[in-house]
Amino acid sequence: MNIIEILKAIVLGIVEGVTEWLPISSTGHMILVDEFLKLNMSAEFKEMFLVVIQLGAIMAVVVLYWKKLLPISFSRKPMIRKEVISVWMKILVACIPAAVIGLCFDDQLEKLFFNYQTVSITLIVYGILFILIEEKNQNRIARINEISQITYKTALLIGVFQLLALIPGTSRSGATILGAILIGTTRTVAAEFTFYLAIPVMFGASLLKMLKFGLNFTGMEMAVLLTGTVVAFVVSILAIKFLMGYIKKHNFQVFGWYRIILGVAVLAYFWLYKV
C-alpha cells in the first residue's frame, strides 16, 4: 500500500470536511488542492473521488440531525411524523432545478469550468456578494424563523439558487444560504435547510459518478476512497457544529473576505508561476 497516497487522501478528506459546510466552496478548494497535491491515480478515478468523498460529509448531517430527519417515530407507539414528511417533500422540490440541469449538462460544465480561473473568479465574486448582502440585511427582520415555515414555493426558489453552485468555486452551501437569506429566512434556518438539501443532491451526484466510473476498484483505489470519505465524515461533524454555533452570534462577512483573499491569491500564484 502506498502510504503517500493515503496521506494525500487524509488531507483531501480534511479539506472536504471543512469546506463542504462553510460557504467557501468545497469543489473549488478540492480543485485548487489538486493543483498542489496531486493524487497519483487515473484522471477518471480522481474525477469520481472528488465527488464521492462528499458522502462522508453527508453522513455527518444524517448523524447530527437524525432525530429531526427521521419520518417515523419509534416510541412506544410507532407513528408517521407528518411534519417531517412535509420537510422531505420540500427538500425534494428544492432538488428539482439542480437535478434537471445537472443531468443534462454535467459533462459540459465540467469541461468548461473545472479550472483555477473559474474557481478564483467565483470565489471573489461571491465573496463580494456575501459582504454586500450582509451589509444590506443587517437590520432586516426575517420572515421565516423555523424550517416548518418554508413553503413549497420558497423551497423551489432556494433550489434555483442552488443552480449557481454548478459552477465550481461558487459553494453549494454558500449559494443556497445566500438565496434563503434573500428570500427571508434567518441564518440558522438557511444553514439547516442547506444541510438537509445536501443529502439527496450529494447522494445522487455520488451515485452517478460511481456508476460512470464503474465498481471495479483496485485495492489502492478503494483504500484511498474509504480513507478520504471517513476523514471527511469526522471533520464534517466538527465543521457543522462550529458553523451552527458561529452564526448565532456572527454574520457571514468573514467568509466573504476569506473568499476574496483566497481568490486573489490563487490568481496571483498562477499568473506568476504558471503562466
Side-chain angles (χ1 to χ4, degrees):
M1 181 177 291
N2 190 333
I3 191 65
I4 298 299
E5 298 308 308
I6 296 297
L7 290 174
K8 290 177 182 177
I10 291 173
V11 173
L12 289 168
I14 293 171
V15 173
E16 166 61 27
V18 171
T19 61
E20 184 61 55
W21 307 112
L22 305 185
I24 53 178
S25 177
S26 63
T27 302
H29 277 75
M30 296 291 272
I31 291 172
L32 295 175
V33 170
D34 188 58
E35 290 284 344
F36 303 97
L37 191 72
K38 292 185 179 295
L39 281 173
N40 189 24
M41 300 282 181
S42 68
E44 292 76 17
F45 175 81
K46 287 198 292 184
E47 177 187 328
M48 180 274 298
F49 173 84
L50 293 178
V51 175
V52 176
I53 194 176
Q54 296 173 345
L55 282 178
I58 285 305
M59 289 310 298
V61 175
V62 174
V63 169
L64 289 173
Y65 291 95
W66 178 258
K67 291 182 179 180
K68 288 187 176 182
L69 292 170
L70 193 64
I72 301 175
S73 173
F74 291 101
S75 55
R76 287 186 177 182
K77 185 179 180 181
M79 58 183 292
I80 301 294
R81 299 169 66 191
K82 293 182 179 179
E83 71 280 5
V84 178
I85 296 292
S86 175
V87 170
W88 274 111
M89 294 300 293
K90 292 166 186 174
I91 290 169
L92 293 176
V93 166
C95 288
I96 292 172
V100 172
I101 301 299
L103 285 172
C104 293
F105 300 103
D106 181 56
D107 290 336
Q108 294 92 324
L109 289 169
E110 199 164 289
K111 290 177 182 177
L112 287 172
F113 299 118
F114 274 60
N115 53 66
Y116 79 88
Q117 295 97 329
T118 300
V119 170
S120 301
I121 292 169
T122 50
L123 280 170
I124 293 169
V125 168
Y126 285 96
I128 294 171
L129 287 175
F130 260 114
I131 294 168
L132 294 177
I133 289 171
E134 285 288 16
E135 284 285 347
K136 181 180 178 181
N137 290 292
Q138 59 182 338
N139 296 317
R140 176 189 62 93
I141 299 176
R143 297 183 296 104
I144 301 171
N145 299 286
E146 301 288 343
I147 290 286
S148 59
Q149 293 178 312
I150 293 177
T151 65
Y152 284 98
K153 179 181 177 181
T154 300
L156 184 61
L157 288 173
I158 294 173
V160 171
F161 276 99
Q162 186 175 228
L163 283 175
L164 298 171
L166 293 175
I167 308 299
T170 300
S171 170
R172 190 197 61 80
S173 62
T176 51
I177 287 172
L178 272 181
I181 289 174
L182 285 172
I183 291 167
T185 73
T186 63
R187 294 187 189 92
T188 301
V189 169
E192 195 169 316
F193 191 76
T194 292
F195 297 159
Y196 298 168
L197 184 54
I199 296 174
V201 168
M202 291 186 189
F203 266 116
S206 297
L207 179 61
L208 286 174
K209 287 295 182 182
M210 289 189 74
L211 290 175
K212 184 178 178 181
F213 179 78
L215 300 178
N216 298 317
F217 295 98
T218 65
M220 190 65 221
E221 288 174 339
M222 181 59 72
V224 167
L225 185 60
L226 287 176
T227 299
T229 303
V230 170
V231 172
F233 167 75
V234 174
V235 176
S236 287
I237 288 180
L238 300 175
I240 291 170
K241 288 183 175 181
F242 163 78
L243 181 63
M244 295 307 288
Y246 180 86
I247 62 177
K248 289 177 181 178
K249 298 179 180 179
H250 306 86
N251 61 32
F252 288 104
Q253 286 188 332
V254 66
F255 299 114
W257 287 112
Y258 170 82
R259 293 174 64 101
I260 294 169
I261 293 169
L262 179 63
V264 171
V266 170
L267 282 176
Y269 171 83
F270 280 97
W271 282 342
L272 289 172
Y273 298 104
K274 294 291 186 178
V275 177

